[in-house]
């Protein structure tokens, strides 16, 4: 099973629950990770908290505060949708479908490797 809140940020769906600005608490903090002085001196990391559910999202994907605010809201909206809808959420369904595709691809790759291995063994036997 997929942990529900980890499925967020995988959706292209527009059928998500709406989150109003009144339900949000926003902070700007210093980001972490690589970047040196540029990261250490600027408060462009956005921390959003959805007050009713208690879900917190931290976004520091770009150097732009506005882009980070937009991305953080998208992620939060998906997480809130997952929180309230659970397995009925479109985000969860998309995550499940993509996992199924990955498993199918792995299975096909494994079968192809087995076929190649058998073919090489047959060639070795023919040479001898």
């Amino acid at each position: 099973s997929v942990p529900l809140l980890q499925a967020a940020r995988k959706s292209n769906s527009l059928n998500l629950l709406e989150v109003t600005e009144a339900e949000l608490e926003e902070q700007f903090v210093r980001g972490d990770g690589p970047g040196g002085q540029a990261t250490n001196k600027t408060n462009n990391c956005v921390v959003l908290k959805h007050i009713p559910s208690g879900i917190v999202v931290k976004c520091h994907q770009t150097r732009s505060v506005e882009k980070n605010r937009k991305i953080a809201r998208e992620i939060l909206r998906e997480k809130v949708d997952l929180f309230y809808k659970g397995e009925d959420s479109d985000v969860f369904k998309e995550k499940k479908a993509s996992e199924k595709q990955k498993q199918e691809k792995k299975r096909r790759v494994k079968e192809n490797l087995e076929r190649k291995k058998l073919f090489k063994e047959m060639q070795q036997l023919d040479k001898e």
Side-chain angles (χ1 to χ4, degrees), residues 72-98:
R73 278 170 172 69
E74 289 172 13
I75 296 170
L76 184 75
R77 193 168 161 218
E78 291 172 5
K79 285 192 177 195
V80 167
D81 190 67
L82 278 167
F83 182 78
Y84 287 114
K85 291 184 182 176
E87 292 185 7
D88 294 333
S89 171
D90 290 343
V91 178
F92 184 80
K93 290 175 184 174
E94 281 185 30
K95 174 71 175 174
K96 276 291 226 196
S98 70

Side-chain angles (χ1 to χ4, degrees), residues 42-124:
T42 58
N43 291 340
N44 57 4
C45 180
V46 178
V47 178
L48 274 182
K49 181 177 182 181
H50 185 249
I51 298 167
S53 65
I55 296 173
V56 177
V57 171
K58 186 175 181 182
C59 180
H60 187 230
Q61 293 181 8
T62 68
R63 291 173 65 178
S64 166
V65 176
E66 288 304 314
K67 286 181 185 175
N68 285 336
R69 289 180 77 201
K70 185 177 179 184
I71 294 168
R73 278 170 172 69
E74 289 172 13
I75 296 170
L76 184 75
R77 193 168 161 218
E78 291 172 5
K79 285 192 177 195
V80 167
D81 190 67
L82 278 167
F83 182 78
Y84 287 114
K85 291 184 182 176
E87 292 185 7
D88 294 333
S89 171
D90 290 343
V91 178
F92 184 80
K93 290 175 184 174
E94 281 185 30
K95 174 71 175 174
K96 276 291 226 196
S98 70
E99 274 190 7
K100 200 171 187 177
Q101 285 177 341
K102 282 182 186 177
Q103 288 175 349
E104 181 62 25
K105 187 174 181 180
K106 278 185 181 180
R107 187 188 62 77
R108 285 195 310 263
V109 167
K110 194 174 181 180
E111 284 177 0
N112 285 338
L113 284 173
E114 287 294 322
R115 273 194 227 114
K116 286 179 182 179
K117 189 176 177 183
L118 286 172
F119 182 71
K120 283 186 179 183
E121 287 175 5
M122 294 296 280
Q123 281 183 331
Q124 290 294 331

Side-chain angles (χ1 to χ4, degrees), residues 7-58:
R9 198 65 182 131
K10 307 290 183 199
S11 172
N12 296 325
S13 173
L14 299 174
N15 191 19
L16 301 176
L17 291 175
E18 289 298 322
V19 177
T20 62
E21 290 295 318
E23 298 174 330
L24 299 179
E25 187 177 291
E26 185 175 47
Q27 288 180 315
F28 302 101
V29 297
R30 289 196 177 121
D32 54 359
Q37 185 177 6
T39 302
N40 297 337
K41 289 181 81 174
T42 58
N43 291 340
N44 57 4
C45 180
V46 178
V47 178
L48 274 182
K49 181 177 182 181
H50 185 249
I51 298 167
S53 65
I55 296 173
V56 177
V57 171
K58 186 175 181 182

